[in-house]
Structures are given as structure tokens and as C-alpha cells.
Amino acid sequence: MFEVVSNDVLAPALHRMVVRAPRVAASRKPGQFVIVRSAPGEERIPLTIGDADNAAGTITLFIQAIGASTRTIVAIPAGGFLRDVAGPLGLPTHIEQWGRVACIGGGVGTAVLYPLAKALAEAGNDVTTIIGGRSEAYIILKDELSAFSREVLVTTEDGSVGRKGFVTAELSDLMADPATSPRAVFAIGPVPMMRAVAELTRPRGITTIVSLNPIMIDGTGMCGGCRVLVGGEPRFACVDGPEFDGHQVDFENLFDRLSTYRSHEAADCKLNRQVQP
Amino acid sequence: MTTPMTTKERLAIDRVRMPELAAAIRSTNFEEVNRGLGHDGALREAQRCIQCKNRQCVAGCPVGVSIPEFIGLLAENDLAGAARILQRDNALPAVCGRVCPQETQCEAKCVRGIKGEAVAIGYLERFVADWAMANAAQLGAETPPPPTGKRVAVVGCGPAGLTAAGELARAGHNVVIFEALHDTGGVLRYGIPEFRLPKEIIDVEVGRLRALGVTIECNVIIGKTLTLAQLRREFDAVFIANGAGLPTMLNIPGENLKGVYSANEYLTRVNLMGAGRQADASTPIIRGRNVAVIGGGNTAMDCVRTARRLGAERAMIVYRRSEAEMPARIEEIKHAKEEGVEFLMLTAPVAILSKGDGWAASLRCQRMELGEPDASGRRKPVPVEGAQYDIPADVVVNAVGTGANPLLTATAPDLALNKWGNIVADGSGLTNLEGVFAGGDIVRGGATVILAMGDGKLAAAAMSGFLA
């Protein structure tokens, strides 16, 4: 049992949860994730570790409540417990001295981006951060990211804050000026966003790292459900990733596989039975 | 028994038949197929054992169960005595009585099999183990020996780890098992379906180990949460039995279509997570109408029989050799056939095809024929030129095997591995690192429950020697 120390709402349906998991807190590195199961009978859900406090023995998780299982997790109040937290899983982010880098986050991806961007800044990189969301309410962690970013650029689809449009517009502008063009780009967010960023940087050959979120069960390489095509080869996001070279990832296949259990008539589970009359 | 039976009388008894749930009923649910012998049937079967002196059956058992001894007591209706022998020799008798391939081990060596049928040792083991579970109070709790003060870490809560833990605890060591998943049992829980091994049996056997003082910590991934180096600092010895957990890909087009599973994923969803099986399970599974399972081992049989229970109209085994070469147990093949599973032999998968919607729709197959024997001694399948055809398959399960999981070994650079990534261990399970032992599939690269248990038993003895 893993105690929920705090649980607050950052944006619509987006929670920040601090969980007591001392072993994970002690061994995690940026880019890694945990598998969480809220209670017996519930799904195993992979969640990126947003931050950790080794002294307090806690980790911070950012959870977007998009399905029945994630809604069950965020419904657990401070003082409550998660049945299982296993990790840290996946390979840590490869951090090196790139010089000028752009860190791009979309929606909940911004929370996943945060530890990575922080680690890049701590390693001496010059970090420009671009964050995007549907509207102002979905723009998260701006102040936290500002603490170590040269600049935090904001885009919203409705223009309610920052520039109206998508993160790629800001990236395009950065790339247009040799003085601001990044040597490496880290993009984490919805699949279409990561694909758009990778397509933008591809002609210029700018190293582009993306963090993938396929369907997972065990998270230890055992089931292969999280396989993604990278450079035409099957790779397991849980043990070979979750970060991959964005120019090599088959985003279409990833996007397609993510829809496997989305209201498919043959998919049988409690989730589907609940919505059927 | 007042007067012992004569050998002639024993030889006159026919081998008992295992009562089974009818195929038409069982192929729609997950209830255990083999129902177990009744008391009278078990006693009569035990009387078939002629108690030969050279005990070939024991030599055929990877954990060396004192078979004639427990059967002898059973024949005299001393069930408690028989149970004590079994529990002393075998950490998981109720499991072994169900899933061991007795026909190639103890029963293959049984003298009675030379002219007739072997004693049904597996059925008897199961009978006694089930009796022991139901009559635990009568047997009384095992008294753990005086503590040695030594601490041992066991990595993995599957058959090898559980067996080693039991042996080590009975030797007085303080044992902690680290399990990566959220529940105990390893492959016994996530891999073997309920209809062959009910999950309560794992709970009871694990409970017996806990009563002996074994601690089990779930959600701890060695190589990630803790490293082997940390375990070596904190414990006096380590036994690594983290299993063969990395599916081998088919490397054919269409493998990433929706509806294509590895056997591990398919079975884990249903067995560990309860998908399609438990009303309260949140984990989904695609129930195919036409399910093609690729492979011919026990895992393939488990998948195809699971598919049938999930409602597949056609549940098919696709295997590139012929039935004679199939590695699956004869009983599993027989049960699968009774349940309506189709066997497409001399059939190799070439590609998984879609109708353009991202979902698997059919399996393109290549007709094979048997050629010269290969390195394994089995006749090598070779393609019949021009003989390709498609079979409908909206779910495809790849059950061709697994490789070594790299999570632990990737963070233990000093640990010697072979070219396949399996840990190198000697006959006693000792690795190249002092105090570090290994066994089961991480050493063998995909074998059986009982061989893993044999490794656990041997390694535990060697570890006690090391710790003395």
C-alpha cells in the first residue's frame, strides 16, 4: 500500500499526486515511470514520475483522468492509498551537453517534460520551453518551468493565453533564427503533436527526442504490448524507452494501437459494460 | 490393510481415469478441467505401486520426491503421513500434481509402464496435496528450525523462487522474496490458466511459505527499484529466478496490427488481470471470432484454450511441424481437441493481414512439409513451393517462445551471461559471483515449472552449504 500524501487539481481533469514510495524516490531518474494499480481488479496504469523527494520518500505523479482507471486513481484523496506502485521503470533520459535545446510539452505531456527539462538545465543546457494546451486552463507548470528556462513560450488553441495556435509555430520561429535554433528538441505530448514536431525538425536534422505512451501491462518487458516501431523495428517502450528518436518512430502505428480498446465492440471489460445500456 | 497385498494382486488393478469436466461445458468457462480423484480411486491407484527397490520414479523427478514412500502410506490410508512426505520433498505439491509432465518424468520411469500403464503418480500427488490443503489443521503447522541468522534474497516469486524460499526457510534462513508484479506466483499466476491451475492453490501454497517465515515483497523490480549490488550488500546470499520474460517476435509483416498479442500479454490480461474472466476486472481483452495461436507448446495450448473460453468460434493452433513434433503435453493436446480447437499442422505464418482498418483480419500461411532432421533431432519443416493461403484471424497470438528479460542483468555488468542473455550457472545454480545463485528460466531460457523447481531446490541446498 502506498500512501497518497497530497492530491490537487492542476487543470481540468489533471491531478498532481504526491505518493509515498521511498524505494522509487531513491532510485528514480528523469524520464522514468511507475506502474500504478489503484485497487484489486483495477488496471495497471503507467505514469511518468514528475518529481521525487528522496528525503521525504515521495514521488510526484501527474495524472490525466481520461478513462475509468485514471479516474479511479485521481479519486483517491490525500491520506488514502494506492494498492500498487512499481518502479522506476524504463530507461532514464539520456542527458548530455547539447548547448541550446528546446523542450516542448503539450497538455499533460508538460508534466512529463518537467523533470526532463529540469535535468537538461541542471546539466548546463540553455533551455527554451514551449508549452501548449487547448486553453488557458490547460497550461500547467509555467512558473516551475520558468525557474530554469531561458524563456517559456505558451500557445493555446483558442488564444486565451499566449500565442493562438500550436507549439510548432513557436518552434518554427526558433528554428528560423540561427541564434535561437536548438541543437536538440525534446517533445512530449499527444501523438499528433510529437509527430508534427518531428516532421518540422526532420528536414534540418535536429535531434528530436519524444516520450511515448503506448498501452502497457507489466512495464517490465514481459508482455510486449507496448511495442512501437522505431526505424522499422519493434521496440518495447517499457524497457527500450519510453524515449526514442522522433525521426525514427512510426507515429501512425502508435496512434492506431492506442485505440485498440477504445469502444471496440469486441473489447470486453468493465469499462465497456458500464457505458452500455 | 490387515494383510499386505501381493504383487500379483497389485498388478491386476487397472490405472485409474481422471474425472474431467465435460468438454462442452468447460470450453465456456474457466473451471478446472481435471476434477481430481476420489478417496477410493486414489487408494486403489496407490495399491498399483509395487514398491520396487530401485525407485526409478524418484530418479525421474526433478525435485526427487520420495514417490514410493508417499504412495505406500497413501495405500495404507495414512493420508497425513503421505502429505508430510510430499510437503517435505516438494514446496508446491498441489501445483506439480497438476502441471508437471509426469508422462516424461516419474511415470516414464515407472516399472509398471513397461508392460501396461504407469502408476498415476501425478494424480496421486495432487490427491494427497489437495487433501493436505483441506486438512491443514490436522497436519499442524511446520515448526521452523532455529534461525541461522543468515539473510537470503530471492528474486522472483515463481516456481523456482518459491521452491528455493521454502527450502531456505526450512534450513533456518531469513528469506525475503522480491516480486516485480503486484501478486505472487510468477508464471503460475500470470501464465497458467485457471482451468489448469486454480489460483487459490497458489494462494494456499504461498500461505504455507509465509507461515514458515518467508517475507514476500511485491512491486519490487530488481534491476530498477533495487539493484543486484544492493541485494548483495544487504543479504548474505541471493537467488535469482526472475524468469524468461521477453517475448520472441515473429518478425513477420502485420505483427503490430491491433488484435495481435504475445502469449505473455494474452495470458497476463486474462490470468493475472482477470480480463474476460472476472466480472470486476477493468483490464480489457479482444475476444476474437477467429483466433490463430502460433506455436505448438504448452503455452500455445493455454492460449488457444483460453481463446475458446473467451468465445472464439474458431480457435486454431498454427504449427509449422506436425503433431508428432509438438512439444505440448499429450494431455493438453487431447483436452484442446475435445474443446473444439482446430490443429493446422505443417503451417507456418508468413504475414498478418488487415482490411486497412489497423485490425488483424487474416493470417497468411505457408504450407510446409517435413524434411531431414535438424539440430534438435526433429524433422525440419521446409516450405512447399507455391502453397500459400489465408485463414481468417481477427486475433493472432504469438506463442513461439520467450527470451531472457534484461532488466536485472542490464544493471549487473559483472554477472556472466551466455550469448542469449541467460545467466550462466553451474549444476548447483552458482553464478560467477560469490553468493549469487540463479535458476529457472533465466538460466534455462524457457522450460517447465518442475525444472525451475528442481533448480530452486538444488540451489537452496548449495546456498545453505555456502552460508554454513
Side-chain angles (χ1 to χ4, degrees), chain B residues 329-349:
Chain B
R329 291 186 69 190
I330 292 158
E331 183 181 57
E332 307 309 326
I333 297 171
K334 170 181 161 274
H335 281 163
K337 284 184 173 170
E338 289 168 357
E339 290 161 14
V341 169
E342 292 173 52
F343 282 68
L344 309 181
M345 298 294 97
L346 292 165
T347 305

Side-chain angles (χ1 to χ4, degrees), chain B residues 179-453:
Chain B
E179 166 58 45
L181 292 173
H182 59 256
D183 208 344
T184 56
V187 72
L188 303 175
R189 195 176 300 271
Y190 76 74
I192 299 179
E194 186 91 1
F195 53 83
R196 279 214 293 139
L197 179 64
K199 302 303 163 211
E200 312 93 76
I201 288 173
I202 307 166
D203 295 335
V204 172
E205 303 269 36
V206 167
R208 258 186 342 114
L209 291 183
R210 285 201 168 110
L212 271 173
V214 173
T215 304
I216 302 175
E217 292 202 36
C218 290
N219 297 314
V220 180
I221 303 109
I222 305 304
K224 291 289 182 186
T225 317
L226 300 171
T227 61
L228 179 60
Q230 280 172 294
L231 293 188
R232 293 184 76 195
R233 281 198 294 277
E234 289 174 31
F235 292 86
D236 298 300
V238 180
F239 179 60
I240 304 170
N242 57 344
L246 199 72
T248 306
M249 304 307 283
L250 295 166
N251 290 316
I252 61 173
E255 198 163 13
N256 263 30
L257 290 168
K258 291 178 285 185
V260 182
Y261 290 106
S262 75
N264 270 357
E265 181 180 1
Y266 193 68
L267 293 173
T268 299
R269 282 181 180 274
V270 177
N271 297 339
L272 177 70
M273 308 307 293
R277 189 169 65 82
Q278 289 169 357
D280 65 343
S282 294
T283 302
I285 182 94
I286 305 296
R287 298 169 181 263
R289 246 183 215 116
N290 300 292
V291 180
V293 176
I294 299 163
N298 288 323
T299 305
M301 296 306 139
D302 286 344
C303 291
V304 80
R305 296 174 70 196
T306 296
R308 196 84 175 99
R309 284 159 172 78
L310 291 176
E313 289 161 22
R314 287 186 78 187
M316 298 166 275
I317 284 285
V318 175
Y319 183 55
R320 65 201 181 109
R321 302 180 196 249
S322 75
E323 195 175 318
E325 286 84 22
M326 274 192 151
R329 291 186 69 190
I330 292 158
E331 183 181 57
E332 307 309 326
I333 297 171
K334 170 181 161 274
H335 281 163
K337 284 184 173 170
E338 289 168 357
E339 290 161 14
V341 169
E342 292 173 52
F343 282 68
L344 309 181
M345 298 294 97
L346 292 165
T347 305
V350 176
I352 303 161
L353 308 175
S354 159
K355 287 177 180 157
D357 57 0
W359 287 91
S362 57
L363 184 67
R364 178 151 297 165
C365 299
Q366 166 72 53
R367 166 76 55 209
M368 309 295 277
E369 61 187 1
L370 292 179
E372 295 300 308
D374 64 9
S376 72
R378 298 179 297 179
R379 291 178 64 191
K380 187 182 162 68
V382 289
V384 178
E385 209 172 317
Q388 285 201 354
Y389 52 97
D390 297 346
I391 54 172
D394 46 359
V395 165
V396 176
V397 183
N398 161 14
V400 299
T402 54
N405 189 294
L407 284 193
L408 185 150
T409 52
T411 56
D414 303 339
L415 190 62
L417 309 176
N418 68 15
K419 63 175 172 177
W420 297 285
N422 296 107
I423 298 173
V424 177
D426 71 10
S428 71
L430 181 63
T431 68
N432 66 314
L433 302 180
E434 191 186 16
V436 179
F437 297 73
D441 280 359
I442 190 63
V443 171
R444 294 176 176 273
T448 60
V449 166
I450 186 67
L451 288 174
M453 292 178 60

Side-chain angles (χ1 to χ4, degrees), chain B residues 47-63:
Chain B
Q47 289 162 355
R48 293 184 68 230
C49 173
I50 56 172
Q51 297 286 323
C52 38
K53 290 280 180 287
N54 63 3
R55 305 163 86 248
Q56 283 296 311
C57 50
V58 181
C61 174
V63 297

